Amino acid sequence: MEIDGPMMRKSMFFLGFGLWVLLVVALAVEGITVNTSSSGPKVVNIGALLTVNSVIGRSVKPAIIAAVDDVNSDKTILGDTHLNLILHDTNCSGFLGTIEALELMEKNVVAAIGPQSSTIAHIISHVVNELHVPLLSFGATDPTLSALQFPYFLRTTQTDYYQMSAIADIIEHFEWKEVIAIYVDDDYGRNGISSLGDSLAQNRAKITYKAAFTPGASVDRLTEILTAVNLMESRVYVVHVNPDTGIDVFKVAKKLGMMTSGYVWITTEWLPAVLDSSQQINTDTGSDYSDVMTLLQGVVTLRQHTPNSYLKKLFAGKWKNIKLKETASFNTYALYAYDSVWLVARALHALLKSGESITFSSDARLRKADESMLRFSGLRTFNEGPKLLETLLSTNFTGVSGEIRFDREKNLVNPGYDVLNIGGTGVRTIGYWTKSSGLSVDSPDKTYAKKVNSNSSSGTKRLYSVIWPGETSVKPRGWVFPNNGKPLRIGVPYRHSYKEVVTKDVRSPQGVRGYSIDVFEAAVDLLPYPVPREYILYGDGVRNPSYSNLVAAVADNTFDAAVGDVTIITNRTRIVDFTQPYMESGLVIVVPVKKSKTSQWAFLRPFTLEMWLVTGGFFLLVGFVVWILEHRLNQEFRGPPSQQIITILWFSFSTMFFSHRENTVSTLGRFVLLLWLFVVLIINSSYTASLTSILTVQQLTSGIEGIDGMISSNEPIGIQDGSFAYNYLVQELNIAQSRIRSLKDQNDYINALRLGPKRGGVAAIVDELPYVELFMTYTQCEFRIVGREFTKSGWGFAFQRDSPLALDLSTAVLQLSENGELERIHDKWLTTSSCSSKAMETDTNSLSLSSFWGLFLICGIACFISLGIYFWRVLCQYRRFDPDLEETQEIPEPESARRSSRRTLLSTSFKDLIDFYDKKEAEIKEMLKRHKLQGNDHSDSPR
């Protein structure tokens, strides 16, 4: 059968149309919406999840509605596509909020704004993960929501991780080490406080107690919790609760007297949200704004920083047109919610512009659930959800809250907080916090613009002054002793030896006594607060306890502190905190000594034989030199030869006692004598000191003369039982353990040193200087310290790490030192032996020439120079002197003869020269004068 062409074409048309209708019906049955319009869908549903009747909800709801209206009225964003807002109230309930969220997902929403609750966000995140619907939360600040477990959760506000870092920096700034956390016991509260603990640990601070309460706790429960908190040590409280119940915490605190001087209250951003959102707070209880401000005097709080931009001012002006009685103002949550809607709109615009459609499909796994009454088959998967999420994360624009841009961890970039202080009737900004620079008085806008990092802060000032509770500007100490009947547990070493330092005392109310106890009691009396304390003996009193174990007991909380002669060493400072040392200490070496026996010739020992010979030779040399220089001028140095020899000897040795009677008249003679007397002074002083030392010296009976000798020796060494000296000798000086002997008390010290190494004793004892000084008082200088202290340390009081009492007691110890009380206590208990204060003399060596050769060299050079000058002068006189002229004064000689006479000067006999030198200076001058006159007369006669 043939079918003509037109008929065939008509049949094919109807067949194709029918197949198209069947396809559309089939797709409709499967739940897939097809975009048949090239310009995009007419309506796109977005959802909103919030607690409408709450502090946050009353501000967020109108902000979201206003944002949707603004988007729909702006044709440059979605064009003809209309955003349809579907709002569900979570009713501040995790269960009801989850049900509302599931119902919202049934309405084919492409994105959901909210929820404000971190608890609901945790549950709904699992749902949106399966349905591929992005969840943009403006209020869920729980840091754990940023995990990879929740890929479709997108936080459009700041995470509490940054907020807790800011609080930790504030606590570090004011030098507090312990805080108490007061928080609501849900995901929001627990995870936020956990993040706070991590941030504090980085600054060597900690949370000492976590006071948690259930959401919506009664006033009685809050009173019970805060009463227990008030009995604890820390006075720094961090409050991390919901905005709707947070004011109740401060009402109870005010009632319990916890808003007075000495307390510190720091809150998270919930408090500014309460203050910013409404002037009429807790209208159900009748509390107005001024009453609430009275409750919060001195509180420090944080608020997410939003720049004062032009867009924010426009938003504030638009807010005045919103006619809602419960809302008088907006908070930062409203700003982030407003920007969340715009973020979704911009991402949808980019998605549709790229040619994508908005389609949903059913999940086969959910159809199987139709057998139950929950009807999960109504939930559909958003097919373009992954692409929309990717577009959201890459979107970048500036909104009313600032820059909207995400980093690799899906957090908003450039986090910042305002640090606020409530005082009077308003809120004062005292600083800012940013991720890059920490605390600063510069706003985050300037900080991020300058690209300042934490190591190059723009200024040293980090915060302005704060008005604390009690209307005081003085920084609170941040802690007190707990008023719960538990005194400070103080471990005291129960010593067997040196009981003057610390020991048991059954007659004392404290049960202990000693030097260390008196110092500690005097320091505690200087503190401006009471310190209830209980002394607990550590050890059995038979042997000295291990001080390292005592310090470890403080570190593991067996004791709160250790008071006694606890030496501050490196290993101990790693586990506990020490106060300022109240006694200087160091290890020294003690050895036995005996007095040396002196002989009848001991007076010769100060100088060596060589020194004696050279000294005697110089006495003779100087005497001879002075005689030569004075002989022609000084009558006392003239006379018969025997008399002159006696004069030389007498003058030489009388200078030893500065008793010479002969005066020197020549300049050169005085110069030589002056230098020689200086040499004699040095020699006399050295001889006297050396002889004194020889006559009083004590000799060592041990070969150990210092630390080097102790290390190189193989002889046994004694130490005090329980002392840290054992570890120091073995680990630091590498001395064999077999050489070390532990001694219990002073009697063991004496016996071991007297016996010596050959009879089972020790060659030396190594102990701390304060103990050695006490030991010396019992021995009457039978033993001596050799060498110097080879460690530098001190005694201090040990406390648990970061204990605030350690710092206050350090200040008190310094006060005791400055006012002289520390010295008085020392003199009461500890007496310093005169033996220990004397320097130990080993074998005293005679003084040799090497110690004085410089003086002798100078003196010798002076003598030779003086003699050289003197003889040059004498020779010059002798050349001008002619003895023949004295005999033939009437017969003048011709000039040539006189020249011949001078030329024969070299041939003059030594006897003539001596005779010339022996003449007096006055005679020589007179002869030269006559010779000159005669020479002039001959030159004037006719030739």
Side-chain angles (χ1 to χ4, degrees):
M1 179 179 180
E2 295 184 3
I3 302 176
D4 56 358
M7 189 66 175
M8 176 64 73
R9 289 193 295 270
K10 190 174 183 180
S11 298
M12 292 298 294
F13 172 78
F14 284 109
L15 179 60
F17 180 77
L19 291 174
W20 181 83
V21 172
L22 290 174
L23 178 61
V24 171
V25 172
L27 291 176
V29 171
E30 291 297 322
I32 300 177
T33 303
V34 181
N35 180 18
T36 59
S37 173
S38 60
S39 60
K42 296 297 183 182
V43 177
V44 175
N45 294 333
I46 64 169
L49 293 169
L50 62 145
T51 301
V52 176
N53 189 24
S54 67
V55 171
I56 296 177
R58 284 191 288 269
S59 291
V60 166
K61 178 183 176 181
I64 293 177
I65 296 173
V68 172
D69 291 341
D70 291 345
V71 169
N72 289 332
S73 61
D74 189 348
K75 297 302 181 181
T76 62
I77 299 298
L78 291 175
D80 295 332
T81 302
H82 182 81
L83 284 184
N84 181 37
L85 177 64
I86 303 175
L87 191 147
H88 280 246
D89 190 354
T90 58
N91 295 301
C92 200
S93 168
F95 174 73
L96 295 178
T98 303
I99 299 300
E100 293 292 333
L102 291 173
E103 292 181 356
L104 177 63
M105 294 298 113
E106 291 180 346
K107 299 177 181 177
N108 294 339
V109 294
V110 298
I113 309 299
Q116 67 190 60
S117 167
S118 296
T119 300
I120 300 176
H122 271 281
I123 300 174
I124 299 304
S125 292
H126 294 285
V127 177
V128 297
N129 286 349
E130 295 295 329
L131 301 181
H132 298 170
V133 177
L135 185 65
L136 287 73
S137 178
F138 53 84
T141 56
D142 178 3
T144 62
L145 287 169
S146 300
L148 298 175
Q149 182 184 7
F150 310 112
Y152 281 87
F153 176 83
L154 192 60
R155 196 194 321 269
T156 56
T157 186
Q158 299 294 346
T159 171
D160 278 341
Y161 170 80
Y162 296 126
Q163 181 173 211
M164 297 307 173
S165 296
I167 292 178
D169 284 353
I170 293 174
I171 292 170
E172 181 191 30
H173 174 73
F174 291 106
E175 300 178 344
W176 298 312
K177 295 298 182 182
E178 297 180 352
V179 303
I180 292 178
I182 302 172
Y183 63 99
V184 60
D185 192 12
D186 58 11
D187 291 329
Y188 160 74
R190 285 191 302 271
N191 295 330
I193 294 302
S194 177
S195 181
L196 174 63
D198 294 340
S199 298
L200 289 173
Q202 296 177 4
N203 298 336
R204 291 193 62 186
K206 61 181 179 180
I207 299 174
T208 56
Y209 182 74
K210 295 181 179 180
F213 58 89
T214 58
S218 64
V219 174
D220 292 339
R221 176 56 183 162
L222 293 177
T223 303
E224 180 183 346
I225 292 174
L226 292 185
T227 300
V229 164
N230 198 29
L231 296 176
M232 297 178 183
E233 179 178 309
S234 178
R235 283 290 185 265
V236 181
Y237 307 129
V238 176
V239 184
H240 185 53
V241 297
N242 294 319
D244 298 278
T245 58
I247 297 300
D248 293 337
V249 173
F250 286 97
K251 285 184 178 180
V252 174
K254 182 76 171 180
K255 183 178 179 181
L256 296 176
M258 298 174 67
M259 298 300 297
T260 57
S261 178
Y263 290 86
V264 178
W265 292 88
I266 303 174
T267 77
T268 51
E269 59 187 356
W270 65 266
L271 183 55
V274 173
L275 299 179
D276 292 342
S277 62
S278 180
Q279 298 290 334
Q280 205 68 23
I281 307 172
N282 282 346
T283 55
D284 296 336
T285 61
S287 299
D288 59 19
Y289 183 79
S290 60
D291 292 338
V292 172
M293 294 299 291
T294 302
L295 291 175
L296 303 174
Q297 294 297 300
V299 174
V300 175
T301 185
L302 296 178
R303 177 175 58 197
Q304 294 187 43
H305 178 78
T306 55
N308 292 322
S309 62
Y310 176 73
L311 292 176
K312 184 178 178 180
K313 293 178 181 178
L314 288 179
F315 180 80
K318 187 181 299 183
W319 193 265
K320 298 179 181 179
N321 299 325
I322 300 176
K323 305 297 184 181
L324 294 175
K325 296 181 180 180
E326 69 272 19
T327 301
S329 185
F330 62 89
N331 52 38
T332 54
Y333 292 103
L335 299 177
Y336 285 112
Y338 182 87
D339 284 343
S340 298
V341 175
W342 274 95
L343 176 61
V344 172
R346 290 177 181 274
L348 284 173
H349 174 73
L351 184 70
L352 295 176
K353 189 176 181 180
S354 65
E356 296 291 340
S357 302
I358 304 298
T359 61
F360 295 85
S361 61
S362 298
D363 193 333
R365 295 173 298 174
L366 296 177
R367 286 205 304 268
K368 294 179 181 179
D370 279 341
E371 299 175 359
S372 67
M373 299 297 294
L374 297 178
R375 295 180 300 175
F376 286 116
S377 60
L379 299 176
R380 301 177 186 275
T381 302
F382 179 27
N383 296 329
E384 286 73 33
K387 294 183 179 179
L388 179 60
L389 176 63
E390 183 179 351
T391 306
L392 288 168
L393 292 173
S394 62
T395 300
N396 179 11
F397 72 99
T398 300
V400 295
S401 62
E403 184 180 10
I404 305 298
R405 180 164 57 91
F406 297 95
D407 58 19
R408 294 180 179 180
E409 297 178 355
K410 299 193 304 181
N411 293 320
L412 288 178
V413 297
N414 299 339
Y417 288 88
D418 303 336
V419 184
L420 310 176
N421 181 212
I422 300 176
T425 59
V427 178
R428 184 170 59 98
T429 301
I430 59 174
Y432 304 91
W433 181 92
T434 59
K435 177 183 177 182
S436 61
S437 63
L439 295 175
S440 173
V441 295
D442 294 333
S443 67
D445 310 329
K446 295 180 180 179
T447 301
Y448 285 117
K450 296 177 182 178
K451 302 295 182 183
V452 180
N453 56 47
S454 58
N455 295 325
S456 59
S457 180
S458 58
T460 57
K461 192 166 187 177
R462 302 176 64 189
L463 287 178
Y464 292 113
S465 60
V466 181
I467 303 299
W468 303 101
E471 298 182 359
T472 176
S473 59
V474 179
K475 185 195 76 172
R477 189 171 63 248
W479 66 278
V480 294
F481 273 94
N483 188 22
N484 54 9
K486 293 183 180 180
L488 200 68
R489 300 165 299 170
I490 301 176
V492 177
Y494 189 6
R495 295 190 57 86
H496 175 73
S497 60
Y498 300 115
K499 295 183 178 181
E500 299 91 339
V501 178
V502 61
T503 190
K504 179 181 179 181
D505 186 8
V506 295
R507 294 174 296 178
S508 170
Q510 300 168 342
V512 290
R513 64 179 175 86
Y515 167 67
S516 297
I517 300 300
D518 280 7
V519 173
F520 182 76
E521 288 290 327
V524 169
D525 290 341
L526 293 178
L527 299 179
Y529 48 85
V531 181
R533 52 199 177 276
E534 174 188 6
Y535 293 103
I536 305 172
L537 291 172
Y538 183 80
D540 54 11
V542 178
R543 300 184 70 94
N544 292 337
S546 170
Y547 281 62
S548 295
N549 292 341
L550 174 60
V551 172
V554 175
D556 63 18
N557 201 30
T558 302
F559 299 115
D560 297 315
V563 171
D565 48 335
V566 183
T567 305
I568 304 172
I569 59 178
T570 303
N571 289 338
R572 295 173 183 174
T573 57
R574 293 191 178 105
I575 58 176
V576 298
D577 285 345
F578 281 94
T579 63
Q580 175 79 15
Y582 64 90
M583 165 69 85
E584 296 297 328
S585 180
L587 292 178
V588 294
I589 302 173
V590 180
V591 297
V593 294
K594 64 178 181 180
K595 291 187 177 180
S596 63
K597 296 181 180 179
T598 57
S599 67
Q600 61 273 22
W601 302 104
F603 68 92
L604 295 175
R605 290 182 58 190
F607 291 156
T608 62
L609 177 61
E610 182 185 29
M611 181 66 181
W612 279 117
L613 294 176
V614 172
T615 302
F618 260 85
F619 272 109
L620 296 175
L621 174 64
V622 171
F624 182 69
V625 170
V626 173
W627 176 82
I628 292 176
L629 298 176
E630 295 288 325
H631 178 70
R632 300 176 68 190
L633 298 173
N634 195 338
Q635 185 63 35
E636 294 180 355
F637 288 87
R638 300 185 65 82
S642 59
Q643 181 180 350
Q644 294 187 47
I645 293 174
I646 293 173
T647 300
I648 291 173
L649 295 176
W650 167 254
F651 179 83
S652 298
F653 290 101
S654 64
T655 56
M656 180 186 301
F657 310 103
F658 305 99
S659 60
H660 51 284
R661 292 174 296 178
E662 293 81 7
N663 295 322
T664 54
V665 296
S666 68
T667 302
L668 293 175
R670 290 176 177 177
F671 171 69
V672 171
L673 183 61
L674 179 64
L675 286 178
W676 175 243
L677 291 179
F678 176 73
V679 174
V680 170
L681 175 64
I682 300 299
I683 292 175
N684 280 342
S685 301
S686 303
Y687 177 85
T688 303
S690 181
L691 181 62
T692 302
S693 175
I694 290 172
L695 295 177
T696 60
V697 70
Q698 291 178 326
Q699 294 179 335
L700 302 176
T701 61
S702 170
I704 297 176
E705 300 179 3
I707 185 172
D708 294 332
M710 181 182 66
I711 295 174
S712 61
S713 172
N714 291 321
E715 296 178 336
I717 302 168
I719 63 169
Q720 184 182 166
D721 198 16
S723 171
F724 77 97
Y726 179 87
N727 290 334
Y728 182 83
L729 295 178
V730 173
Q731 298 175 5
E732 301 297 332
L733 302 184
N734 296 320
I735 293 178
Q737 300 181 22
S738 58
R739 293 180 55 193
I740 301 176
R741 308 282 190 271
S742 293
L743 305 175
K744 291 176 59 177
D745 52 24
Q746 299 94 312
N747 292 329
D748 285 355
Y749 278 25
I750 296 173
N751 294 333
L753 288 172
R754 285 175 177 173
L755 289 174
K758 295 182 180 180
R759 293 185 294 170
V762 296
I765 287 177
V766 175
D767 205 349
E768 294 182 73
L769 184 59
Y771 300 125
V772 172
E773 289 180 341
L774 282 174
F775 172 67
M776 292 296 185
T777 61
Y778 307 139
T779 61
Q780 299 180 349
C781 300
E782 184 179 354
F783 309 100
R784 277 291 182 271
I785 299 172
V786 294
R788 299 181 178 179
E789 294 180 68
F790 51 91
T791 63
K792 288 292 184 181
S793 57
W795 293 349
F797 307 126
F799 289 86
Q800 295 179 9
R801 293 300 297 268
D802 302 323
S803 171
L805 190 58
L807 179 60
D808 287 357
L809 274 178
S810 292
T811 304
V813 169
L814 290 176
Q815 288 180 300
L816 291 176
S817 177
E818 292 171 357
N819 61 25
E821 183 68 12
L822 196 61
E823 186 68 22
R824 188 194 66 79
I825 298 174
H826 178 277
D827 295 341
K828 173 185 174 182
W829 290 99
L830 309 176
T831 56
T832 302
S833 171
S834 59
C835 302
S836 63
S837 62
K838 294 179 181 178
M840 183 61 226
E841 300 282 353
T842 59
D843 274 343
T844 304
N845 297 323
S846 300
L847 298 175
S848 65
L849 180 62
S850 60
S851 302
F852 301 94
W853 71 268
L855 288 173
F856 288 130
L857 178 63
I858 295 173
C859 186
I861 292 174
C863 290
F864 284 109
I865 291 176
S866 299
L867 288 175
I869 295 173
Y870 178 76
F871 281 120
W872 177 79
R873 292 173 55 194
V874 170
L875 289 175
C876 289
Q877 289 178 344
Y878 186 72
R879 287 186 62 189
R880 291 184 292 158
F881 174 73
D882 187 354
D884 295 338
L885 292 176
E886 298 296 322
E887 299 175 358
T888 58
Q889 297 179 3
E890 63 281 347
I891 304 175
E893 285 186 324
E895 183 67 23
S896 60
R898 287 197 297 270
R899 289 198 297 268
S900 175
S901 176
R902 291 178 182 175
R903 285 196 296 268
T904 61
L905 179 62
L906 296 177
S907 60
T908 304
S909 66
F910 181 73
K911 182 177 179 301
D912 294 338
L913 186 61
I914 293 299
D915 291 340
F916 177 79
Y917 168 74
D918 192 50
K919 295 180 183 294
K920 292 184 178 181
E921 182 75 15
E923 295 178 5
I924 297 299
K925 289 182 178 180
E926 182 65 26
M927 293 170 61
L928 293 176
K929 183 178 179 182
R930 290 198 303 269
H931 175 72
K932 184 177 181 180
L933 292 174
Q934 291 175 2
N936 292 336
D937 293 340
H938 287 297
S939 61
D940 294 338
S941 61
R943 302 191 176 189

